[in-house]
Amino acid sequence: MHATDLPCPQPKGRQKSADSCPTPSAGKPAAKKPAAKKPAAKKQAEKKQAPRKPRPKKQAARKPRPKKEAAMKPGGGRPAGCPPCQSAPRKPGTKKPGAKKPGARKPSTQRPPAQKLPAKKLPAKRPPAKKPPAKKKQLKADHGWSWQGLTIDAADLRKVNVFLARAKKAEHTISPQMRSIARKTKATMVGFNERKRSPESVKRSVARDMQNNPSETVDDALDKVYNSVRYILQWPDASYVKGVKDSTKMLAKWKNANLRWSNTWARARGYKGINTAWRANDSGHPYELQFHTPKSQAAQKRSSRLYEEAHHPRTTGSRRAQLQTQMNRNYASVPCPAGAQLLSAPRRRAMVRPGVTTL
């Protein structure tokens, strides 16, 4: 018996004819019953109490883009003519992969500012260690001066210091004259950087003179110091005599007074050369000027240390004689330029200093 042969169930309320079977009307929806009308007063009250719902914005319906479907191979995949399956609907609350949250900020591509590290404190530099003060030969001014048995008291030391300060000032005016003489007479200036005698050497000379002559004062000893400022002019043997004469004429023309003239070229032994002393016209300070040849200057240089040792206060008499013999040998090989032994001092002119008159 087939399902179509079963009798159609009839409703209990109504009776229909056996020949008719109720079938649903195709395409026509069931008629809805009209809702009962509410009174107008109740409708107005409900409108006031119910909150207004925001109207949904109308969005334009997007047309679905046609998807390109690859032709399925026969015998595999979905059958031909089967419409493409649509993706399953997403559950409410789920998000598409890669979807951005509303209000989320984009990650910034700028680098964060570099944080400044706290500056490291460098260790404090230690001050350099002070060197111990060198042992000074000179004592304090109120205690005078002493050196290897030679002494100068405080009062005399002040006078010596005044003399040294005057020599330093006078050198500034004497040196230009010496350079001018050397240029005009074509002389060589030897030891120009050592033109100023050291203060210690001057003090030793004054103390030694006062020790050898107990009756002599410090002023007398300072008057004998001619070489606090000193110069050396040198010429070849052929032009030596002419150079000395021209130099002395220029010094006399500039009113420099000659204080001493020592010509030792005629000696058979010992020092060879001419040592002179002059007093500057503008400052009144004495200075020494030596005239040499190249060979006499070389012999003097070799004998300078021997001379210092010979005049040392602790040098014995026998040692001093040995030193003098050695110096004589150094000067024995020095030839005398022609006419050098006849050179004499220029005529001395009177020159007045404060409290002193020289002829």
Side-chain angles (χ1 to χ4, degrees):
M1 187 175 186
H2 299 281
T4 56
D5 296 338
L6 293 177
C8 183
Q10 295 183 358
K12 294 181 180 182
R14 291 183 183 180
Q15 292 182 359
K16 290 185 180 181
S17 61
D19 299 333
S20 62
C21 181
T23 57
S25 59
K28 289 184 180 182
K32 295 182 180 180
K33 292 181 180 182
K37 295 182 179 179
K38 296 181 181 181
K42 288 183 178 181
K43 284 184 179 181
Q44 291 179 359
E46 287 178 359
K47 286 182 180 180
K48 290 181 181 180
Q49 292 178 0
R52 293 182 180 179
K53 296 182 180 179
R55 294 181 180 178
K57 294 182 180 181
K58 294 182 179 180
Q59 294 181 356
R62 294 182 181 180
K63 295 180 180 180
R65 294 181 180 179
K67 295 183 180 180
K68 295 181 180 180
E69 298 179 3
M72 300 298 292
K73 294 181 180 180
R78 62 174 179 267
C82 181
C85 298
Q86 296 181 356
S87 59
R90 294 191 305 272
K91 295 180 180 180
T94 59
K95 296 181 180 179
K96 291 183 179 180
K100 297 180 181 178
K101 293 181 180 179
R105 295 182 180 179
K106 295 181 179 180
S108 61
T109 57
Q110 296 180 356
R111 295 181 179 178
Q115 296 181 356
K116 294 183 179 180
L117 299 176
K120 295 182 179 180
K121 294 183 179 180
L122 298 175
K125 294 183 178 180
R126 295 182 180 179
K130 294 183 179 180
K131 296 181 179 180
K135 294 182 180 180
K136 296 183 179 180
K137 297 178 182 178
Q138 182 177 351
L139 303 179
K140 293 183 180 180
D142 55 347
H143 293 96
W145 176 89
S146 66
W147 178 80
Q148 294 186 1
L150 300 175
T151 58
I152 300 176
D153 59 18
D156 292 343
L157 182 61
R158 284 193 291 270
K159 293 183 178 181
V160 174
N161 291 332
V162 171
F163 177 84
L164 293 172
R166 189 166 65 246
K168 184 178 180 180
K169 185 178 180 180
E171 182 270 330
H172 295 292
T173 57
I174 299 172
S175 293
Q177 293 183 358
M178 296 298 106
R179 286 195 293 264
S180 179
I181 290 173
R183 184 176 63 256
K184 292 180 179 180
T185 61
K186 298 181 181 180
T188 302
M189 296 194 72
V190 181
F192 183 75
N193 294 334
E194 300 174 359
R195 61 190 178 277
K196 289 185 288 186
R197 191 177 175 185
S198 67
E200 291 296 316
S201 178
V202 174
K203 292 172 185 177
R204 288 196 298 267
S205 178
V206 171
R208 190 181 297 114
D209 196 4
M210 293 176 66
Q211 187 181 41
N212 297 334
N213 302 302
S215 61
E216 194 173 70
T217 63
V218 67
D219 295 326
D220 298 334
L222 288 173
D223 287 339
K224 296 178 182 179
V225 179
Y226 298 140
N227 59 355
S228 59
V229 184
R230 52 194 178 183
Y231 305 91
I232 299 175
L233 295 179
Q234 176 182 297
W235 295 272
D237 293 3
S239 58
Y240 178 80
V241 174
K242 185 179 183 302
V244 173
K245 289 181 178 180
D246 293 345
S247 300
T248 54
K249 287 179 182 179
M250 294 176 67
L251 291 173
K253 183 179 179 181
W254 293 334
K255 298 181 180 180
N256 288 273
N258 180 252
L259 302 178
R260 188 183 65 179
W261 186 277
S262 175
N263 187 345
T264 58
W265 284 110
R267 284 183 181 178
R269 293 181 301 176
Y271 181 82
K272 300 290 181 66
I274 298 177
N275 286 11
T276 63
W278 306 78
R279 190 179 301 278
N281 181 36
D282 50 358
S283 62
H285 191 79
Y287 64 92
E288 184 183 68
L289 178 59
Q290 299 180 12
F291 304 116
H292 277 284
T293 63
K295 291 186 178 180
S296 66
Q297 172 58 27
Q300 183 193 27
K301 191 174 181 180
R302 291 194 302 268
S303 305
S304 59
R305 293 183 180 179
L306 303 176
Y307 180 84
E308 291 292 333
E309 186 180 353
H311 288 77
H312 197 276
R314 295 185 179 181
T315 304
T316 60
S318 60
R319 176 59 181 168
R320 190 176 290 111
Q322 293 176 0
L323 295 172
Q324 186 62 45
T325 302
Q326 191 172 354
M327 286 189 287
N328 293 339
R329 292 175 183 173
N330 293 337
Y331 289 107
S333 59
V334 177
C336 177
Q341 69 274 16
L342 301 177
L343 293 172
S344 59
R347 184 179 178 182
R348 299 178 64 181
R349 296 182 180 181
M351 184 175 180
V352 179
R353 286 192 304 157
V356 180
T357 303
T358 58
L359 297 176

